[in-house]
Amino acid sequence: MTDDISGVTEDTLFQSERYGTYSYKVPVTAGTYTIKLHMAELYWQVAGDRTFSVSVEGQVKLANVDLITQAGRFGAYTVIVPNVRVSDGALDIAVDPSKDAGTLSGFAIYSADGKLDTSTPPTNTNCKAYVGITYDDGPVNTTAFVNALKSAGLVPVTFFVNGTNIGSRPGAIKEMLTVGQVQSHAYTHVDMGSYSAAQVRSQLEQNNTAIVNAGAPKPTIFRPPYGTVNNTIRQVASELGMITITWDNDSQDWNGAATTAIVSANDRLQDGQVILMHENQTNSLSAIPQIAAKLKAKGFCPGKLDPKTGRAVAP
Ligand code: ZN
């Protein structure tokens, strides 16, 4: 294989591959590492013929990647996975194909600042997976939710709030911050599918101002009302420093789902996935203790939403 690889100068790294479903166990001292994963599509010519996921230390860091889409044929695709904590003496990297076979050209492991970092222990070494627990449309019933989340230990969560609701509840945003993050759900709860860029911008800027004025950090994640997404919405959110996300799993709490159904929907979450619930739905309030118990029984933990990917990750 001597085809020229675009995007890099060190072509040789990408010109071989290990192919299939496999995993590596690299012996390392306990510490925090940064991993660089190197990939290139050396066989298929069009998108859709190969997709695979890569997990590092049991967490999916790259989900259903298609190298043709990312970098084209023979294009170098490099993913950096920072802050990987290893406490069991071995760094685990696993490649799982979803279409055809997985392919990894190589990887490199860097310790933090060139030395091992053992100063900060991981927040919870028992978590097998992290899931994103989210509540939209508040602040409405904030105190009840915050108390229930605290007493069940279901933290952290993410609230996607509407600025129009903050007005009458100025203290609610600070209450939310005691159990997680506050992010944007637009100023009013409006479908912006036909909005101009200027109209979207107005909605998002007003909401950011309301959130910041109530004492929370400037939002980095935007979830549009009704999950309505288009390029204008994505672009404006991006210009304002936010990624646009929806959800992996809709609890249907807004549609009258029973508490047991909401608990089951949470129970179906896979590592990194995010569920949609609402802070103005009493069945979602009632579901909190059982959601917490079921996650704990599986060794799953609530995570924070990564502002780059929108996926649930270690807090
Ligand atoms: Zn909503």
Side-chain angles (χ1 to χ4, degrees):
M1 170 57 68
T2 54
D3 298 87
D4 199 37
I5 302 292
S6 56
V8 285
T9 47
E10 309 91 348
D11 285 2
T12 50
L13 182 62
F14 295 90
Q15 284 171 355
S16 62
E17 60 179 334
R18 188 173 167 187
Y19 177 87
T21 303
Y22 50 87
S23 60
Y24 295 96
K25 249 187 194 310
V26 185
V28 293
T29 313
T32 301
Y33 297 88
T34 295
I35 318 299
K36 269 190 193 173
L37 302 169
H38 299 291
M39 292 153 277
E41 181 54 72
L42 306 178
Y43 180 76
W44 293 107
Q45 305 193 21
V46 295
D49 286 325
R50 181 204 305 280
T51 56
F52 60 97
S53 300
V54 180
S55 301
V56 176
E57 285 292 286
Q59 287 188 44
V60 176
K61 296 298 182 183
L62 200 56
N64 294 316
V65 68
D66 185 320
L67 297 175
I68 295 275
T69 305
Q70 297 296 336
R73 194 178 191 216
F74 301 128
Y77 184 53
T78 299
V79 171
I80 296 174
V81 183
N83 295 319
V84 176
R85 292 188 181 283
V86 181
S87 52
D88 61 356
L91 172 68
D92 296 297
I93 299 175
V95 178
D96 288 307
S98 33
K99 178 87 185 283
D100 191 42
T103 179
L104 212 54
S105 309
F107 57 83
I109 302 167
Y110 303 88
S111 58
D113 303 326
K115 57 184 178 183
L116 299 180
D117 174 12
T118 52
S119 54
T120 316
T123 47
N124 187 342
T125 52
N126 298 319
C127 294
K128 289 181 186 155
Y130 291 94
V131 296
I133 306 293
T134 74
Y135 298 102
D136 288 9
D137 297 3
V140 172
N141 196 13
T142 309
T143 303
F145 268 82
V146 168
N147 288 341
L149 291 165
K150 278 182 182 165
S151 78
L154 189 66
V155 292
V157 302
T158 303
F159 295 97
F160 289 92
V161 305
N162 299 110
T164 43
N165 288 338
I166 297 174
S168 51
R169 297 168 190 82
I173 298 298
K174 282 185 177 158
E175 276 188 75
M176 289 176 170
L177 291 174
T178 65
V179 291
Q181 293 183 301
V182 174
Q183 299 287 0
S184 176
H185 194 41
Y187 188 69
T188 56
H189 200 277
V190 62
D191 187 325
M192 297 191 288
S194 61
Y195 271 31
S196 68
Q199 288 174 304
V200 174
R201 177 174 282 271
S202 168
Q203 272 285 338
L204 300 195
E205 282 182 339
Q206 278 190 81
N207 204 36
N208 285 0
T209 300
I211 289 169
V212 170
N213 286 347
K218 189 168 168 284
T220 54
I221 305 176
F222 171 58
R223 175 184 277 163
Y226 309 102
T228 300
V229 184
N230 59 34
N231 288 339
T232 303
I233 292 169
R234 273 188 219 280
Q235 176 64 30
V236 172
S238 170
E239 287 164 12
L240 296 174
M242 295 182 284
I243 62 159
T244 300
I245 71 160
T246 53
W247 51 81
D248 297 298
N249 193 342
D250 178 354
S251 72
Q252 292 280 319
D253 63 343
W254 56 273
N255 199 21
T259 299
T260 50
I262 295 167
V263 171
S264 299
N266 278 270
D267 201 28
R268 288 193 294 273
L269 290 171
Q270 310 278 316
D271 188 23
Q273 287 190 331
V274 175
I275 190 162
L276 172 71
M277 292 184 283
H278 293 83
E279 196 248 57
N280 57 4
Q281 294 296 331
T282 52
N283 285 349
S284 278
L285 177 62
S286 310
I288 287 171
Q290 291 173 72
I291 293 169
K294 285 196 175 244
L295 288 179
K296 200 169 183 183
K298 288 193 291 192
F300 282 24
C301 302
K304 68 169 186 188
L305 301 192
D306 184 318
K308 288 198 172 65
T309 63
R311 293 178 63 79
V313 296

